[in-house]
Amino acid sequence: MANIHEVAKQAGVSSATVSRVLNNTSSVTEKTRQKVEQAIKELNYEPSMLGRNLRNSESRLLLVLIPNFSNPYYTEIINGIEDFSVERGYNILLCETDSNPTRENTFFNMVKNKLADGIISMDPTINMAKLQELAKKHSIVLCSEYDELERIPYVAIDNEAAAYKVMKHLIRLGHENIALINSDEKFLYARQRRKGYERALKEFDLPLRKEYIYNTNNLDFQGGAQAMRKLLQLDEIPTAAFAVSDTLAIGALKELNVKGMDVPDAFALVGFDNISFSNMTNPTLTTVAQPMYQMGIAAANMLIDQLQGKPVDSVMLEHELIIRESTLN
Amino acid sequence: MANIHEVAKQAGVSSATVSRVLNNTSSVTEKTRQKVEQAIKELNYEPSMLGRNLRNSESRLLLVLIPNFSNPYYTEIINGIEDFSVERGYNILLCETDSNPTRENTFFNMVKNKLADGIISMDPTINMAKLQELAKKHSIVLCSEYDELERIPYVAIDNEAAAYKVMKHLIRLGHENIALINSDEKFLYARQRRKGYERALKEFDLPLRKEYIYNTNNLDFQGGAQAMRKLLQLDEIPTAAFAVSDTLAIGALKELNVKGMDVPDAFALVGFDNISFSNMTNPTLTTVAQPMYQMGIAAANMLIDQLQGKPVDSVMLEHELIIRESTLN
DNA sequence: TATTTGTATGAAATCGTTTACAATTAAATG
DNA sequence: CATTTAATTGTAAACGATTTCATACAAATA
């Protein structure tokens, strides 16, 4: 309620001095510092961020764009972003785009409006052209999904290598008919994972069968279940599948359970992301772990560095194949 | 980049007039309006929220407090809050407290600092005393968990009735030895659900057995698995269990699977919350659905009304028992 | 035409900070 | 003691909007 001038009056100093005490930006006598701190306590003063932000023309707010809250894939990344940002005195605003251009525009406007300082986008459906445009004047970092043109710095993993590793694992277990449950290939990661899938087939002299590749635009459980339903209707049913996300894999697993197919004996299954549920299914799910938390840290670090005018470079982090029951023996 | 004065200059009017055009707060000649709009376009002007917020002394930012991002329970509620708030021109800041008092303080300070206008708290571990204190000067709404003293308005469901309904369902299926996997009873909802559990037992003349009540302070899958492990070690193993959250129930289910107990034939299981995963487990999980989205809407509505000086009343919404495979026949 | 009414606009204060610059005081030097 | 130097503090101008109040002008009335 009280403002800086009242505090100054109470302490018998100028508002400039109070400000100096608040930010210890230049030296202040111990005696005056005490007077000021006393006054602050007496008046129960809390500096207004509104005034400060206007003066400094920054909001210390970072936007984190995700397609929707309910996707557990993002949670650990967000934790990383949050921890790092808070550490540096920034807050994050989680923005659900719902892949809706209007929504997206709202968020872009927030940074134009100075309501937010920068953006970390994890939304693969985002309008890259507009984002590039925004990036000319504002700080932006891509996380997980990125732009091949590479004007905007990003943090990601090597999707192709990860997919290749998954396939190699399945092939070594003796599988020759391996399906790919992929998302829409308008997404870069989808194209990259498919590349890894195909490279492995080629290297091990296995045929590439078009009917074993299923692209879904529904990335939730239902999408996975539906994909598996289709695969199980094929003349020659595959003996294994690689789903590009755990949610898809869990949906597929549900369908396999329904159809009475034993996993892993009759059918092996691999997911991607290592969401916490992947260790709770029956059987537990083999999956690829991305260093989520680290990715979050890195993205936040890059964005804040960028805001402070430091040069930043894109980074590629390591992934790990986690073998569980769904691909045992 | 351009500010309101430059626009005014460009249009040959005063900044007051530009502001009037921006907010159409009082009448402006069609001719001047056109001039102004033209200038806005030419200069690519976007009004600064920082200036506006300072002047209006509001941030149009609402804080939503949750214990942690990874709990899927909250997602639908958040969607409701988000949708309603955005509709009314507010943004929401998702705040993960991690049940950490320091974090909590940071968020409280944000509203004292005018960086946020109000709070919707869904964190059962929150410091109620401090929150009450804050509520004297600021707008606050509780969602899902609330305070019996009832100074702060809340939106919730009738937990006791819901628990009672679950128990009645299990008892009708012929179960007599029913365990309760509860969370820590320092939480109001935990006490209320236990009350419902006990009332049902009493009404159906079943004994209340202390060893059938397991309190966990670990609300994730692990907590549920551990609880079930303990229950399966009892001399007289229960034939059914009611877990106060789906995550607990899914952990318990995992443990039952591991031990080779068939669900529902050897053991019936009920959860709470109807998170999306509850329909993907094998078998699918009987659970209690809260009107999550509606709760979010209601909470946001109450908070914004409060901010605008309108009087608000607490509300109690309806729940629903969703019967699935885990309690079939 | 003189007067009243109403509408459209502008000048300037305001919101609460920070900070460049000026001014004061204290300490150090010759 | 006079003078230079350094350390503290104060004054006042930003930051970018909104809004009260006053004023100018047009239209309506007598």
Side-chain angles (χ1 to χ4, degrees), chain B residues 286-318:
Chain B
T286 292
T287 190
V288 175
Q290 305 186 40
M292 304 289 202
Y293 189 79
Q294 285 311 316
M295 289 169 70
I297 296 272
N301 198 344
M302 284 163 67
L303 183 59
I304 293 175
D305 275 359
Q306 209 180 135
L307 283 170
Q308 302 182 340
K310 299 179 197 160
V312 299
D313 281 320
S314 299
V315 297
M316 210 72 146
L317 297 177
E318 290 306 314

Coordinates of all heavy atoms in Angstrom, one line a residue, chain B residues 286-318:
Chain B
T286 N -12.3 -48.2 -12.2 CA -13.5 -47.5 -11.6 C -13.0 -46.4 -10.8 O -12.1 -46.5 -10.0 CB -14.3 -48.5 -10.7 OG1 -14.8 -49.5 -11.6 CG2 -15.4 -47.8 -10.0
T287 N -13.7 -45.3 -10.9 CA -13.2 -44.0 -10.3 C -14.3 -43.0 -10.1 O -15.5 -43.2 -10.5 CB -12.1 -43.4 -11.1 OG1 -11.5 -42.4 -10.4 CG2 -12.6 -42.8 -12.4
V288 N -14.0 -42.0 -9.3 CA -15.0 -40.9 -9.1 C -14.6 -39.7 -10.0 O -13.4 -39.3 -9.9 CB -15.1 -40.5 -7.6 CG1 -16.0 -39.3 -7.5 CG2 -15.5 -41.6 -6.8
A289 N -15.5 -39.3 -10.8 CA -15.2 -38.1 -11.6 C -15.7 -36.8 -10.9 O -16.8 -36.7 -10.5 CB -15.9 -38.3 -13.0
Q290 N -14.8 -35.9 -10.8 CA -15.2 -34.6 -10.4 C -15.4 -33.7 -11.6 O -14.7 -34.0 -12.6 CB -14.1 -34.0 -9.5 CG -13.7 -34.8 -8.3 CD -12.7 -34.1 -7.4 OE1 -12.9 -32.9 -7.1 NE2 -11.7 -34.8 -6.9
P291 N -16.2 -32.8 -11.6 CA -16.4 -31.9 -12.7 C -15.3 -30.9 -12.9 O -15.5 -29.7 -12.7 CB -17.8 -31.2 -12.4 CG -17.8 -31.2 -10.9 CD -17.1 -32.4 -10.4
M292 N -14.1 -31.4 -13.2 CA -12.9 -30.7 -13.2 C -13.0 -29.3 -13.9 O -12.7 -28.3 -13.4 CB -11.8 -31.5 -13.8 CG -11.6 -32.8 -13.2 SD -10.8 -32.6 -11.6 CE -10.1 -34.2 -11.5
Y293 N -13.4 -29.5 -15.2 CA -13.4 -28.3 -16.0 C -14.4 -27.2 -15.4 O -14.0 -26.1 -15.3 CB -13.9 -28.7 -17.4 CG -13.8 -27.5 -18.4 CD1 -12.6 -27.2 -19.0 CD2 -14.9 -26.8 -18.8 CE1 -12.4 -26.2 -19.9 CE2 -14.8 -25.8 -19.7 CZ -13.6 -25.5 -20.2 OH -13.5 -24.5 -21.1
Q294 N -15.5 -27.7 -14.9 CA -16.5 -26.8 -14.3 C -15.9 -26.2 -13.0 O -16.2 -25.0 -12.7 CB -17.8 -27.6 -14.0 CG -18.6 -27.8 -15.2 CD -18.9 -26.6 -16.0 OE1 -19.1 -25.5 -15.5 NE2 -18.7 -26.8 -17.3
M295 N -15.2 -27.0 -12.3 CA -14.6 -26.4 -11.1 C -13.6 -25.3 -11.4 O -13.6 -24.2 -10.8 CB -13.8 -27.5 -10.3 CG -14.8 -28.5 -9.7 SD -13.9 -30.0 -9.1 CE -13.0 -29.3 -7.7
G296 N -12.9 -25.5 -12.5 CA -11.9 -24.4 -12.9 C -12.7 -23.2 -13.3 O -12.3 -22.1 -12.9
I297 N -13.7 -23.4 -14.1 CA -14.5 -22.2 -14.5 C -15.0 -21.5 -13.3 O -14.9 -20.3 -13.2 CB -15.7 -22.7 -15.4 CG1 -15.3 -23.4 -16.7 CG2 -16.7 -21.6 -15.6 CD1 -15.1 -22.4 -17.8
A298 N -15.6 -22.2 -12.4 CA -16.2 -21.6 -11.2 C -15.2 -20.8 -10.4 O -15.4 -19.7 -10.0 CB -16.9 -22.7 -10.4
A299 N -14.1 -21.5 -10.2 CA -13.0 -20.8 -9.4 C -12.6 -19.5 -10.1 O -12.5 -18.5 -9.4 CB -11.8 -21.7 -9.2
A300 N -12.3 -19.5 -11.4 CA -11.9 -18.3 -12.1 C -13.0 -17.3 -12.0 O -12.7 -16.1 -11.7 CB -11.5 -18.7 -13.5
N301 N -14.2 -17.7 -12.2 CA -15.3 -16.8 -12.1 C -15.4 -16.1 -10.8 O -15.5 -14.9 -10.7 CB -16.6 -17.6 -12.4 CG -17.7 -16.6 -12.8 OD1 -17.7 -15.4 -12.6 ND2 -18.8 -17.2 -13.3
M302 N -15.2 -16.9 -9.7 CA -15.3 -16.3 -8.4 C -14.2 -15.3 -8.2 O -14.4 -14.3 -7.6 CB -15.2 -17.4 -7.4 CG -16.5 -18.2 -7.2 SD -16.3 -19.8 -6.4 CE -15.9 -19.3 -4.8
L303 N -13.0 -15.7 -8.6 CA -11.9 -14.8 -8.4 C -12.0 -13.5 -9.1 O -11.8 -12.4 -8.5 CB -10.6 -15.5 -8.8 CG -9.3 -14.7 -8.5 CD1 -9.2 -14.4 -7.0 CD2 -8.1 -15.4 -9.0
I304 N -12.4 -13.5 -10.3 CA -12.5 -12.3 -11.1 C -13.7 -11.4 -10.6 O -13.5 -10.2 -10.5 CB -12.7 -12.6 -12.6 CG1 -11.4 -13.3 -13.1 CG2 -13.0 -11.4 -13.4 CD1 -11.4 -13.8 -14.5
D305 N -14.8 -12.1 -10.2 CA -15.8 -11.3 -9.6 C -15.3 -10.6 -8.4 O -15.6 -9.4 -8.1 CB -17.0 -12.3 -9.2 CG -17.9 -12.5 -10.4 OD1 -17.7 -12.0 -11.4 OD2 -18.9 -13.3 -10.2
Q306 N -14.6 -11.3 -7.6 CA -14.0 -10.8 -6.3 C -13.2 -9.6 -6.6 O -13.2 -8.5 -6.0 CB -13.2 -11.9 -5.6 CG -13.2 -11.7 -4.1 CD -12.4 -12.8 -3.5 OE1 -11.6 -12.6 -2.6 NE2 -12.6 -14.1 -3.9
L307 N -12.3 -9.7 -7.7 CA -11.4 -8.6 -8.1 C -12.2 -7.4 -8.5 O -11.8 -6.3 -8.3 CB -10.6 -9.1 -9.2 CG -9.4 -10.0 -8.9 CD1 -8.7 -10.5 -10.1 CD2 -8.4 -9.2 -8.0
Q308 N -13.4 -7.6 -9.0 CA -14.2 -6.5 -9.5 C -15.2 -6.0 -8.4 O -16.1 -5.3 -8.7 CB -14.9 -6.9 -10.8 CG -13.9 -7.3 -11.8 CD -14.5 -7.7 -13.1 OE1 -15.7 -8.0 -13.2 NE2 -13.7 -7.7 -14.2
G309 N -14.9 -6.5 -7.2 CA -15.7 -6.0 -6.1 C -17.1 -6.7 -5.9 O -17.8 -6.2 -5.0
K310 N -17.4 -7.7 -6.7 CA -18.7 -8.3 -6.5 C -18.6 -9.3 -5.3 O -17.5 -9.9 -5.1 CB -19.1 -9.0 -7.7 CG -19.3 -8.1 -8.9 CD -19.7 -8.9 -10.2 CE -19.4 -8.1 -11.4 NZ -19.3 -9.0 -12.6
P311 N -19.7 -9.5 -4.6 CA -19.7 -10.5 -3.5 C -19.7 -11.9 -4.1 O -20.3 -12.1 -5.1 CB -21.0 -10.2 -2.8 CG -21.9 -9.6 -3.8 CD -21.0 -8.9 -4.8
V312 N -19.0 -12.9 -3.5 CA -19.0 -14.2 -4.0 C -19.3 -15.2 -2.9 O -19.0 -15.0 -1.8 CB -17.6 -14.6 -4.7 CG1 -17.3 -13.7 -5.8 CG2 -16.5 -14.5 -3.6
D313 N -19.9 -16.3 -3.4 CA -20.2 -17.4 -2.4 C -19.5 -18.7 -2.8 O -19.4 -19.0 -4.0 CB -21.7 -17.6 -2.4 CG -22.4 -16.6 -1.5 OD1 -21.8 -16.3 -0.4 OD2 -23.5 -16.1 -1.9
S314 N -19.2 -19.5 -1.8 CA -18.6 -20.8 -2.1 C -19.6 -21.7 -2.8 O -20.8 -21.5 -2.6 CB -18.1 -21.4 -0.8 OG -17.2 -20.6 -0.2
V315 N -19.1 -22.6 -3.6 CA -20.0 -23.5 -4.3 C -19.5 -25.0 -4.1 O -18.3 -25.2 -3.9 CB -20.1 -23.2 -5.8 CG1 -20.7 -21.9 -6.0 CG2 -18.8 -23.4 -6.5
M316 N -20.5 -25.9 -4.1 CA -20.2 -27.3 -4.0 C -20.7 -27.9 -5.3 O -21.9 -27.8 -5.6 CB -21.0 -27.8 -2.8 CG -20.4 -28.9 -2.1 SD -19.0 -28.5 -1.2 CE -19.2 -29.6 0.2
L317 N -19.9 -28.6 -6.1 CA -20.3 -29.2 -7.3 C -20.6 -30.7 -7.2 O -20.2 -31.3 -6.3 CB -19.3 -28.9 -8.4 CG -19.1 -27.4 -8.7 CD1 -18.1 -27.2 -9.8 CD2 -20.4 -26.8 -9.2
E318 N -21.3 -31.2 -8.2 CA -21.6 -32.6 -8.2 C -20.5 -33.6 -8.7 O -19.7 -33.2 -9.5 CB -22.8 -32.9 -9.1 CG -24.1 -32.3 -8.6 CD -24.4 -32.7 -7.2 OE1 -24.3 -34.0 -6.9 OE2 -24.8 -31.9 -6.3

